[in-house]
Amino acid sequence: MESIDQLCVNTLRILSLDQIQRANSGHPGMPLGAAPMAFVLWDKILKHNPKNPKWFNRDRFILSAGHGSALLYSLLHLYGYDLPLEELKKFRQLGSKTPGHPEYGLTPGVEATTGPLGQGFGMGVGMAIAEKFLSNYFNREDLNIVDHYTYAIVSDGDLMEGISSEAAALAGRLKLGKLIYLYDDNHITIEGDTSLAWNEDIELRFKAHGWHVITVSDGNDLDAIYGAIKAAQDEKERPSLIKIRTHIGYGSPKVDTPDVHGAPLSEEEAKETKRFFGFPEDQSFYIPEEAKKHFIESGSRGVKFEEEWNKKLEKYRKKYPDLADEFERFISGELPENWDLDLPVYKDTGKKIATRSASGETLNKLADKIPNLIGGSADLAPSNKVVLKGKGDFDSNNPTGRNIHFGIREHAMGAAVNGMALHGGILPFCATFFVFTNYMRPSIRMAALMNIHSIFVFTHDSIGVGEDGPTHQPVEQLMSFRVMPNITVIRPADANETVEAWKIAISRKKPVMLVLTRQNVPVLDIDKYPIREGVKRGAYIISDVENPDIILIGTGSEVHPALKAKEILENRGIRVRVISMPSWELFKEQDEAYKKEIIPDHIHKIVIEAGVPTGWKDIVGDNSTIIGIDRFGESAPGDELMREFGFTPENIVEKAIAVLQKT
Amino acid sequence: MESIDQLCVNTLRILSLDQIQRANSGHPGMPLGAAPMAFVLWDKILKHNPKNPKWFNRDRFILSAGHGSALLYSLLHLYGYDLPLEELKKFRQLGSKTPGHPEYGLTPGVEATTGPLGQGFGMGVGMAIAEKFLSNYFNREDLNIVDHYTYAIVSDGDLMEGISSEAAALAGRLKLGKLIYLYDDNHITIEGDTSLAWNEDIELRFKAHGWHVITVSDGNDLDAIYGAIKAAQDEKERPSLIKIRTHIGYGSPKVDTPDVHGAPLSEEEAKETKRFFGFPEDQSFYIPEEAKKHFIESGSRGVKFEEEWNKKLEKYRKKYPDLADEFERFISGELPENWDLDLPVYKDTGKKIATRSASGETLNKLADKIPNLIGGSADLAPSNKVVLKGKGDFDSNNPTGRNIHFGIREHAMGAAVNGMALHGGILPFCATFFVFTNYMRPSIRMAALMNIHSIFVFTHDSIGVGEDGPTHQPVEQLMSFRVMPNITVIRPADANETVEAWKIAISRKKPVMLVLTRQNVPVLDIDKYPIREGVKRGAYIISDVENPDIILIGTGSEVHPALKAKEILENRGIRVRVISMPSWELFKEQDEAYKKEIIPDHIHKIVIEAGVPTGWKDIVGDNSTIIGIDRFGESAPGDELMREFGFTPENIVEKAIAVLQKT
């Protein structure tokens, strides 16, 4: 490399440092140490277009070590993304585009929100899955319209987190050869030398995961880094980990110490660092002219990359007009026409159907219409009913297969699905038991934080699970997601509500979670009940009466005992309204008039839900009774448990009468 | 091995199968395949005493593959634990001692609740840590009063879960040579052959984790299994993984298929299986007499093991009476006298103190008094303020060190702490940022489910975190744990409340979670406010007035703006009561009179808490206003955020006046 390259590296370092010093907050160690690998990757390798950060065929880059955000902002600014220097000066300030950790959707060029360790590692795997699927779906002969790499810079923290083992094993199994991670091996964590807690042989471990491992012994050696990335590109089958020995806080007096990880330098230390790199010590946000010029020129090549690709796409369109149309539709995120026709309609024949089963049938109908709907389960596909029949397994031998075997790796699954959603061009879903959402909660939170279209299918939704017992019975999960911002949780009551729930999951373009029964439940007569309009509103009157004495509100499988309780109560002359409430979030979006109309203050409400009751008073107020579960479950047949815990028409009736007698 | 051994193995198989067939629910595949390794371990190796399952120096055994519970119940019954055959006949039924997955505290001899994959793997690591600490603390010359192994049977699911990578890396780093795991390598998961999702080189991976790996190619070869366990015992430094090739559902017509994993066999298949093993096909719960005799004799050796140990302990007591006393106290779980004297008392000098800092000071004082209080952080010890000063690092070179460097592995940390608590003899704690509880939620749930004394210290408890932004700012976490049964969550308002919170955490003998500020907060005058009694009650009047017009309820750092708002309001002639409410769970334990006295229905309440508001209406009812956060945070200095989100005296005053004007 040339001396201009070194100047550019140091410019990245000092510009990052200046952001942190100005904010008096941030992580200087990583940018000082890892700037060389970031520079080589962005300058010599990465095909991206700063003028169009959404150019579809760009290489993806994730800063999995999100605490190094200042470095990413330096890169984005210098290469010409729409991130003015003024924003860098507002690093970590309210309303800026330069928050403490990179945030997707806020800053142009940020491909994923990162910071919680290992998430970036996992999302990259999802992006590479998306690329593999789409490239094999669309590319023809010499016309590779989808053909890019996914890169990330990962840290020791990423690699210690279990999610990285899961995600690496998945990537190795799927032979994601176009996934290339640069490991910033700086030997330092917050508590001290990494060896305090960590003596894994990382090369051996990643070989065991099925990866190609390259080592660069000097993280300042730009040529060596370049050579390593090129060698990683040459490896077509295995994902590559490039282990690059760096020095945290390089150039500062705190080099190789934990102190430089997460706190700004003192004024004097910052000056000393600037002197070390030959930068004027009294200037802030100083960008040498030659460096500026180099960055801009380098970044401007992106326009050419995209133009070349546009030409290719033009040729492709002429030769394969239908495929080209489909490609455009995929990347636009639009759904094919009539995607929601031919979905199942369930008649009340007396036969009970588990909502997971109705979900499986609906999903399969949807998959027939929506060819980029792909996903899978963490080894529970047959139980979760998410097998896409006749759609093949996604595999290196069959990369247009649409069933992904994520393995018993819920956490990596969640991150991968987020990565797929972020990549674009596909509509991803994943599945497991509802109780095991705990294992992937950090990834679900990332979906919520980024507000992206990840679809989560969770079955075995309550003590109705039965014999597997309390380890497998969610009780607190439902409420724990209702308190998570941005996630739409839908717990349908029957097969028909499940169909509607899926329509919302597909069309909402935000994270949606379906919560489904293991056990069979009655089918609600679609001709009798206003299910289609009702589910959309989150809650609706499923069975009404004039001047009700009491209102029963059920969710999911508990709508059925509520309806039965109504029958019993009405035989006793008590007028009952029954409400099915599959989704709090959808209900909260309704106007106040609707809310007050169906759930008025002056009538007593009884809520029936096989979950922790805390939270319901927000919906129904004091004039209410909640039949819920405030402890862990038990191991026994599910219907026995439902009785034991009071989810029976009889118990509802008893509660209703007690309330009415009081008033 | 002899033919009686083979008969015993088959007895385990058939007795397990019979439980599942009777229940018409369960997992026959694992017991049929893994009975030989379980038999060899329990019969030839394990030092335990069925007549006293709590004998302290017993070898610990965890069935990490908890779905094989029927096998564990067979072992417990046959070796003479207090688990009658009648209980096995009630497998998976309401009220039985044989639930779907093993449950700690319910069934004698069950060392840990398992089922959620990887948890058992992680808890075993904690047990081995406890053994290492205690053995080095107490053992003298030839008098090894703590000297046992920790064994587990683990499955492919355990090994795919990220937690097992974390826990294995931790165990390897800590050189837990007395940890021996038998891996039931049956090549089958629910979705099919393990290779569908998994092609890791497990030997290589565990070598990378720092483990000793032994392979047994035939899981029915009892001698080979025995030899492998002996070889594992001979390895003193590295933990051992014994990879044993088995066949799921061995002996049944469904051998080597996913169908035999999680569903009972048909009647005919069960008969065929019994014929295969030479058992009478028309009998259920048949135990051959010779086998019965063998099991009982083998189990009865346990009495001798314990007697020998008691003799050793007697000698030890004579030679080291003080240490023996301490040992008894450690294993009894009792606290030393005066453990809670000399704790810090904070004066209101105007200097603000973060509750994490007060926690650190308190913890250090406690650690001086309580020598078996040990723990650490997931690489955030300096930030979490959990460094035990002068207590050394727990390490193979210093196994009585009390600071555990868990590494950036929250999930394994949680499981390890649970394992330590289960082992007994020590009082363990762990720490990370509150938002990263998501990463360890499955382990926290296990602590809750088992209701064990794991102490969780979580700092950086709100948007007060500041610049690190929404990825690092908990908003939904507080409520998400309030809805989890059995966990006591305490969010103290200041340094003095923090001291009280620690006293509860130490003495409660149940899982307790401390939720602490990053930012400095004022100190509440301990002479002025009834903090000591108040915290115990979960909520208390911190500042009262006769006939209040309004009640302000704050938790944690939000108590301070509430107190300031009171001053402003009282200047305007409005009478204000202020309540500090550090813990919902403690408050809910109070009698109704107290609850109604401090939070009466007829006075309007304003709750101020920097978290999701959903749930509060359960505490304060309709006659209330909640100042909370119903979206994710932002990146900015913490005090700015607190203003931006409305946690200011001014906003509270405004809300209060608006309410009072309405009424």
Side-chain angles (χ1 to χ4, degrees), chain A residues 501-543:
Chain A
W502 259 112
K503 281 157 73 174
I504 292 162
I506 293 288
S507 57
R508 195 162 160 85
K509 300 199 174 182
K510 290 178 183 178
V512 176
M513 180 181 292
L514 304 184
V515 180
L516 305 166
T517 68
R518 172 191 187 229
Q519 74 273 25
N520 290 325
V521 293
V523 172
L524 297 168
D525 189 337
I526 189 125
D527 301 322
K528 184 171 160 194
Y529 301 119
I531 292 171
R532 291 206 178 86
E533 274 315 298
V535 175
K536 284 195 194 85
R537 309 191 84 158
Y540 64 102
I541 299 171
I542 192 156
S543 178

Side-chain angles (χ1 to χ4, degrees), chain B residues 188-419:
Chain B
I188 295 293
T189 68
I190 290 172
E191 292 185 3
D193 193 283
T194 47
S195 67
L196 271 177
W198 203 32
N199 64 350
E200 278 185 321
D201 184 329
I202 279 297
E203 291 183 53
L204 211 60
R205 192 185 113 190
F206 273 78
K207 280 178 189 163
H209 292 322
W211 285 48
H212 166 230
V213 183
I214 307 170
T215 299
V216 174
S217 59
D218 176 5
N220 285 319
D221 183 340
L222 306 184
D223 292 304
I225 294 169
Y226 181 79
I229 301 176
K230 281 293 178 188
Q233 290 183 335
D234 289 343
E235 165 64 48
K236 302 297 181 199
E237 289 243 309
R238 290 173 298 169
S240 291
L241 184 79
I242 307 175
K243 181 170 176 271
I244 305 173
R245 174 64 167 114
T246 60
H247 295 272
I248 194 168
Y250 182 77
S252 84
K254 285 181 169 168
V255 59
D256 288 327
T257 68
D259 295 345
V260 76
H261 163 78
L265 299 177
S266 72
E267 204 176 318
E268 188 42 51
E269 289 162 348
K271 285 184 179 176
E272 195 174 331
T273 309
K274 289 181 182 180
R275 284 198 296 273
F276 180 90
F277 290 114
F279 272 58
E281 66 174 61
D282 286 327
Q283 287 189 48
S284 278
F285 297 95
Y286 167 73
I287 301 166
E289 275 308 316
E290 314 103 282
K292 187 183 282 183
K293 202 170 140 235
H294 178 92
F295 281 117
I296 290 298
E297 277 176 17
S298 175
S300 66
R301 286 176 303 153
V303 175
K304 206 184 64 201
F305 292 142
E306 185 170 352
E307 278 172 6
E308 281 166 15
W309 181 78
N310 282 332
K311 280 180 203 154
K312 193 184 280 183
L313 188 61
E314 220 32 65
K315 278 191 206 166
Y316 185 89
R317 198 188 309 276
K318 279 180 189 145
K319 214 161 164 188
Y320 312 104
D322 292 348
L323 267 177
D325 282 351
E326 191 170 33
F327 177 69
E328 302 268 321
R329 207 193 64 236
F330 276 24
I331 70 176
S332 75
E334 278 168 34
L335 293 165
E337 265 182 63
N338 300 329
W339 65 273
D340 57 351
L341 289 189
D342 307 328
L343 294 181
V345 177
Y346 295 91
K347 296 288 175 189
D348 176 12
T349 62
K351 194 184 151 228
K352 291 181 174 185
I353 302 174
T355 58
R356 63 169 169 156
S357 300
S359 166
E361 289 170 353
T362 310
L363 173 61
N364 270 279
K365 289 285 187 188
L366 289 165
D368 287 340
K369 291 277 178 68
I370 306 172
N372 55 344
L373 179 62
I374 73 173
S377 166
D379 194 46
L380 289 168
S383 289
N384 302 139
K385 308 289 183 195
V386 292
V387 177
L388 303 181
K389 286 171 197 119
K391 302 294 187 287
D393 287 348
F394 178 80
D395 200 346
S396 52
N397 301 319
N398 182 33
T400 55
R402 291 165 59 190
N403 290 285
I404 304 177
H405 295 281
F406 286 106
I408 303 165
R409 309 181 182 108
E410 299 82 7
H411 200 175
M413 173 175 75
V417 160
N418 291 344

Side-chain angles (χ1 to χ4, degrees), chain A residues 23 25 27 92-95 98-101 103 113-119 156-157 160-163 165-166 169-170 172-173 189-192 195-201 204-205 207-209 377-383 393 404-411 435-436 438-439 441-442 445-446 448-449 467-477 479-480 482-486 584 588 612-618 621-623 630-632 634-637 640-641 644, chain B residues 23-25 27 92-95 98-101 103 113-119 156-157 160-163 165-166 169-170 172-173 189-192 195-201 204-205 207-209 377-383 393 404-411 435-436 438-439 441-442 445-446 448-449 467-477 479-480 482-486 584 588 612-618 621-623 630-632 634-637 640-641 644:
Chain A
S25 173
H27 299 73
R92 294 181 155 235
Q93 304 308 306
L94 198 61
T98 50
H101 291 81
E103 289 180 31
T113 297
T114 52
L117 290 166
Q119 298 300 326
D156 42 58
M160 277 194 246
E161 292 286 0
I163 185 177
S165 285
E166 294 181 4
L170 180 62
R173 172 62 186 79
T189 68
I190 289 172
E191 293 186 2
S195 67
L196 272 177
W198 202 31
N199 65 349
E200 278 186 321
D201 183 329
L204 212 59
R205 192 184 115 190
K207 279 177 189 164
H209 293 321
S377 167
D379 194 48
L380 290 168
S383 288
D393 288 347
I404 304 177
H405 295 282
F406 286 106
I408 303 166
R409 310 182 182 106
E410 298 82 6
H411 200 174
V435 78
F436 297 139
N438 281 0
Y439 277 74
R441 197 168 166 98
R445 189 180 207 252
M446 294 300 283
L449 198 48
E467 291 91 340
D468 273 345
T471 54
H472 285 55
Q473 291 163 355
V475 294
E476 76 280 25
Q477 277 70 13
M479 206 55 77
S480 85
R482 288 187 183 135
V483 299
M484 185 182 277
N486 294 1
W584 277 28
K588 285 182 179 175
V612 169
T614 304
W616 268 106
K617 294 279 180 187
D618 283 49
D622 288 346
N623 190 12
D630 56 4
R631 59 180 179 101
F632 289 114
E634 302 265 356
S635 172
E640 266 183 56
L641 287 178
E644 176 75 12
Chain B
N24 196 26
S25 173
H27 300 73
R92 296 183 154 232
Q93 303 307 305
L94 198 61
T98 50
H101 292 81
E103 288 180 33
T113 298
T114 52
L117 291 166
Q119 298 299 327
D156 42 58
M160 278 194 244
E161 291 287 0
I163 185 176
S165 286
E166 293 182 6
L170 179 61
R173 172 62 186 79
T189 68
I190 290 172
E191 292 185 3
S195 67
L196 271 177
W198 203 32
N199 64 350
E200 278 185 321
D201 184 329
L204 211 60
R205 192 185 113 190
K207 280 178 189 163
H209 292 322
S377 166
D379 194 46
L380 289 168
S383 289
D393 287 348
I404 304 177
H405 295 281
F406 286 106
I408 303 165
R409 309 181 182 108
E410 299 82 7
H411 200 175
V435 78
F436 297 138
N438 281 359
Y439 277 74
R441 197 168 166 96
R445 189 180 206 254
M446 293 301 283
L449 198 48
E467 291 93 339
D468 273 346
T471 54
H472 285 55
Q473 292 164 354
V475 294
E476 75 280 26
Q477 277 71 12
M479 206 54 78
S480 85
R482 289 187 183 137
V483 300
M484 185 182 278
N486 295 0
W584 277 28
K588 285 182 179 175
V612 169
T614 304
W616 268 107
K617 294 280 180 186
D618 283 49
D622 288 346
N623 190 12
D630 58 2
R631 60 180 177 101
F632 289 114
E634 301 264 356
S635 171
E640 267 183 56
L641 288 178
E644 177 75 12

Side-chain angles (χ1 to χ4, degrees), chain B residues 92-152:
Chain B
R92 296 183 154 232
Q93 303 307 305
L94 198 61
S96 79
K97 290 193 186 304
T98 50
H101 292 81
E103 288 180 33
Y104 173 77
L106 179 67
T107 316
V110 168
E111 300 276 9
T113 298
T114 52
L117 291 166
Q119 298 299 327
F121 191 115
M123 287 188 280
V125 172
M127 291 183 186
I129 289 173
E131 197 271 347
K132 192 166 190 128
F133 177 84
L134 292 170
S135 60
N136 282 279
Y137 192 98
F138 285 110
N139 292 353
R140 293 291 180 277
E141 295 118 45
D142 64 329
L143 291 173
N144 290 348
I145 60 167
V146 182
D147 183 12
H148 69 78
Y149 290 90
T150 301
Y151 300 97

Side-chain angles (χ1 to χ4, degrees), chain A residues 266-324:
Chain A
S266 72
E267 205 174 319
E268 189 42 51
E269 289 162 347
K271 282 183 181 176
E272 196 175 330
T273 309
K274 288 181 182 179
R275 285 198 296 274
F276 180 91
F277 291 115
F279 272 58
E281 66 174 63
D282 286 328
Q283 286 190 50
S284 277
F285 297 94
Y286 167 73
I287 301 166
E289 275 308 316
E290 315 102 281
K292 187 182 281 183
K293 201 169 142 236
H294 178 91
F295 282 117
I296 290 299
E297 277 177 16
S298 175
S300 67
R301 285 176 305 152
V303 174
K304 205 185 66 200
F305 292 142
E306 184 170 353
E307 278 171 5
E308 281 166 16
W309 181 77
N310 282 331
K311 280 180 202 155
K312 194 184 279 184
L313 187 61
E314 218 32 65
K315 276 191 205 166
Y316 185 90
R317 197 189 309 277
K318 278 180 188 146
K319 215 161 164 188
Y320 312 103
D322 293 347
L323 268 176

Side-chain angles (χ1 to χ4, degrees), chain A residues 57-303:
Chain A
N57 198 42
R58 69 193 180 279
D59 287 334
R60 303 309 196 262
F61 171 78
I62 301 175
L63 186 68
S64 189
H67 54 272
S69 58
L71 175 60
L72 181 55
Y73 302 142
S74 297
L75 290 161
L76 291 169
H77 169 70
L78 291 168
Y79 281 105
Y81 283 79
D82 183 17
L83 189 69
L85 198 62
E86 277 53 49
E87 289 293 336
L88 275 60
K89 292 179 179 171
K90 291 188 289 185
F91 182 56
R92 294 181 155 235
Q93 304 308 306
L94 198 61
S96 79
K97 288 191 188 302
T98 50
H101 291 81
E103 289 180 31
Y104 173 77
L106 179 67
T107 316
V110 169
E111 300 277 9
T113 297
T114 52
L117 290 166
Q119 298 300 326
F121 191 114
M123 287 188 279
V125 172
M127 291 182 186
I129 289 173
E131 197 269 351
K132 192 165 188 129
F133 177 85
L134 292 169
S135 60
N136 282 280
Y137 192 99
F138 286 110
N139 291 353
R140 293 292 180 276
E141 294 120 48
D142 63 328
L143 291 173
N144 290 347
I145 59 168
V146 182
D147 183 12
H148 71 78
Y149 290 91
T150 300
Y151 300 97
I153 294 180
V154 305
S155 63
D156 42 58
D158 289 303
L159 301 191
M160 277 194 246
E161 292 286 0
I163 185 177
S164 73
S165 285
E166 294 181 4
L170 180 62
R173 172 62 186 79
L174 295 176
K175 297 188 179 164
L176 303 178
K178 291 167 89 174
L179 187 68
I180 299 174
Y181 284 176
L182 285 66
Y183 163 33
D184 174 22
D185 178 24
N186 65 30
H187 291 214
I188 295 293
T189 68
I190 289 172
E191 293 186 2
D193 193 284
T194 48
S195 67
L196 272 177
W198 202 31
N199 65 349
E200 278 186 321
D201 183 329
I202 279 297
E203 291 183 54
L204 212 59
R205 192 184 115 190
F206 273 78
K207 279 177 189 164
H209 293 321
W211 285 50
H212 167 231
V213 184
I214 308 170
T215 299
V216 174
S217 59
D218 176 3
N220 285 319
D221 182 341
L222 306 183
D223 291 307
I225 295 168
Y226 181 78
I229 302 174
K230 281 292 179 190
Q233 290 182 335
D234 289 343
E235 165 64 49
K236 303 298 180 197
E237 289 242 310
R238 290 173 297 169
S240 290
L241 184 78
I242 307 174
K243 181 169 175 272
I244 304 173
R245 174 65 167 112
T246 60
H247 294 272
I248 193 169
Y250 182 77
S252 83
K254 286 182 168 167
V255 60
D256 287 329
T257 69
D259 295 345
V260 75
H261 164 77
L265 298 177
S266 72
E267 205 174 319
E268 189 42 51
E269 289 162 347
K271 282 183 181 176
E272 196 175 330
T273 309
K274 288 181 182 179
R275 285 198 296 274
F276 180 91
F277 291 115
F279 272 58
E281 66 174 63
D282 286 328
Q283 286 190 50
S284 277
F285 297 94
Y286 167 73
I287 301 166
E289 275 308 316
E290 315 102 281
K292 187 182 281 183
K293 201 169 142 236
H294 178 91
F295 282 117
I296 290 299
E297 277 177 16
S298 175
S300 67
R301 285 176 305 152
V303 174

